[in-house]
Amino acid sequence: MASADPQLSELIEEEFLKCKICFELYKSPRILPCLHSYCEPCLKKMLDKGKGTICCPECRTQTQIQGSVSNIKTNFYIKSLLDLFESKRNKDAVCSVFQSCSDTLIQLPTLVRSFDTEGKEDEFDQNITGIANFENGDIVIADESNSVVKEFRQNGKTIGDTSVSEECCPCSVTVCGDTVYFSSTTKLYKITKDSDIIQVNNLRGSQNSYPIASYKGKYIAVSEGAACTLSLYDPKGSLVDRIRPHGYSGGKFMFLAINSREEFIVTDSAKKCIVVFTKAGEIINVCSSAGYGKFVPFSVCVDHRDNIYAVESGRIIQLSPNGEFQRVFVDFKDDTFRPKLITADAFGNLIVTDKEGSIRLYKIKTFSIKMIE
């Protein structure tokens, strides 16, 4: 069995996880515009309240602070490393981060962009109920309050808005091929290239909402709540299959995602868990804990490596492709941003939105940790 060099973990902790002011592990790491990072408590002590500025102790750059120090951006790279090391310390082995018979891959988020999706024509405050992306990375969201489906480039540029009548205001949204589909009450609709709204099917049951997802342009999967089933519809709206995990009952299926192996990942709002199962209905895993505290999974997605991400209690957690909890990927507890919905594109980007339509785009960076015998 390969073992990690203990000096390696110590070096990482010393160089990346300790504040250069207090020389302790970061407490709520904040990154200045000059790209140097410090603890939030340390920055508070350095704030010149009269001028409202902070002078970086390393490069001497003056930074004007808008309001309190807590408004300075969180360094999510450092925060994720801290979460990773802390989870391993709970197992009494920091170096177990690197335990493997081969190289270990560590994935970390880097915030690369954020923008707001509120439009000039919006009559009400946004209530974002669906998010998805096209193959080229373009983003589509459903704004239920204003009965509109909006499309954006990843730089925040608006591509177009499709107004929907109040009788079929959009709930969940997905992209199947190059066509946008959305659910509304008990109906499934699609938006044509001419921005026409066409109903393609009536959905089974009488749920208040039906989360949907698509698989490689072949079908749209619909989550059917207390029935604990998924119905699959082809792009024309014909039912092609119905799936229920064997022996599973008493739950309420909510958000769903489909990985490259055509396995289904569904959050259960009644049982407070994430269920992973095959198209044949065989349960691969049921995840009902993220290490500590109450487990309340919400929106879910998979990345280009089939890793699973879920919005859970104000944070984003990462699960293995088989549905085993790995770690907290991004924690928003020290942030005013409250994640609601999540999706991932084929280019290694994680796209998160809150209820009001503020979008954050994270690059999922993968690092290989070399092992030594």
Side-chain angles (χ1 to χ4, degrees), residues 125-159:
D125 291 338
Q126 293 189 102
N127 179 23
I128 307 304
T129 53
I131 185 170
N133 56 271
F134 290 85
E135 289 184 1
N136 66 359
D138 290 345
I139 302 165
V140 56
I141 61 172
D143 177 2
E144 188 177 52
S145 293
N146 293 286
S147 297
V148 64
V149 174
K150 304 178 180 181
E151 298 177 24
F152 300 88
R153 303 289 187 201
Q154 289 196 349
N155 61 7
K157 180 181 178 181
T158 301
I159 302 174

Side-chain angles (χ1 to χ4, degrees), residues 223-267:
S223 180
E224 296 179 331
C228 295
T229 54
L230 303 178
S231 286
L232 312 185
Y233 298 91
D234 69 19
K236 294 182 179 180
S238 298
L239 180 67
V240 294
D241 204 352
R242 184 163 287 140
I243 302 167
R244 179 170 184 165
H246 299 323
Y248 195 90
S249 62
K252 184 177 181 180
F253 279 3
M254 283 291 291
F255 293 94
L256 73 157
I258 311 169
N259 66 20
S260 66
R261 301 189 297 254
E262 204 171 1
E263 296 165 345
F264 300 89
I265 301 95
V266 184
T267 57

Side-chain angles (χ1 to χ4, degrees), residues 2-11 95 98 370-373:
S3 60
D5 183 350
Q7 293 183 351
L8 178 59
S9 58
E10 293 173 3
L11 179 63
C95 63
F98 312 110
K370 296 290 184 180
M371 308 306 301
I372 62 174
E373 296 294 338

Side-chain angles (χ1 to χ4, degrees), residues 48-205:
D48 185 331
K49 295 183 178 179
K51 297 180 180 179
T53 60
I54 288 178
C55 180
C56 176
E58 292 184 73
C59 67
R60 313 307 297 173
T61 298
Q62 293 281 345
T63 298
Q64 189 73 36
I65 304 302
Q66 301 298 323
S68 68
V69 169
S70 61
N71 290 331
I72 300 174
K73 289 183 178 180
T74 298
N75 189 322
F76 291 103
Y77 175 83
I78 291 176
K79 200 170 193 319
S80 295
L81 273 177
L82 286 167
D83 291 338
L84 184 63
F85 268 63
E86 182 62 29
S87 67
K88 298 305 176 182
R89 280 198 183 90
N90 290 340
K91 297 178 182 179
D92 297 320
V94 173
C95 63
S96 67
V97 173
F98 312 110
Q99 261 185 346
S100 173
C101 292
S102 59
D103 293 354
T104 296
L105 297 179
I106 295 178
Q107 293 177 303
L108 297 172
T110 300
L111 179 63
V112 295
R113 190 170 296 109
S114 62
F115 60 90
D116 292 323
T117 61
E118 184 176 6
K120 294 181 181 179
E121 304 300 322
D122 291 345
E123 183 177 357
F124 306 103
D125 291 338
Q126 293 189 102
N127 179 23
I128 307 304
T129 53
I131 185 170
N133 56 271
F134 290 85
E135 289 184 1
N136 66 359
D138 290 345
I139 302 165
V140 56
I141 61 172
D143 177 2
E144 188 177 52
S145 293
N146 293 286
S147 297
V148 64
V149 174
K150 304 178 180 181
E151 298 177 24
F152 300 88
R153 303 289 187 201
Q154 289 196 349
N155 61 7
K157 180 181 178 181
T158 301
I159 302 174
D161 296 346
T162 302
S163 295
V164 179
S165 68
E166 294 183 3
E167 289 75 24
C168 59
C169 59
C171 183
S172 185
V173 66
T174 192
V175 178
C176 189
D178 59 356
T179 302
V180 175
Y181 290 76
F182 67 88
S183 61
S184 175
T185 59
T186 59
K187 297 178 175 62
L188 181 66
Y189 296 87
K190 72 176 180 179
I191 302 176
T192 69
K193 293 182 179 180
D194 296 325
S195 297
D196 293 327
I197 310 297
I198 298 176
Q199 181 183 340
V200 296
N201 212 320
N202 291 310
L203 302 177
R204 192 172 70 127

Side-chain angles (χ1 to χ4, degrees), residues 33-46:
C34 60
L35 302 183
H36 290 120
S37 297
Y38 307 98
C39 293
E40 182 177 331
C42 291
L43 289 173
K44 286 182 179 178
K45 295 177 182 178
M46 295 175 57

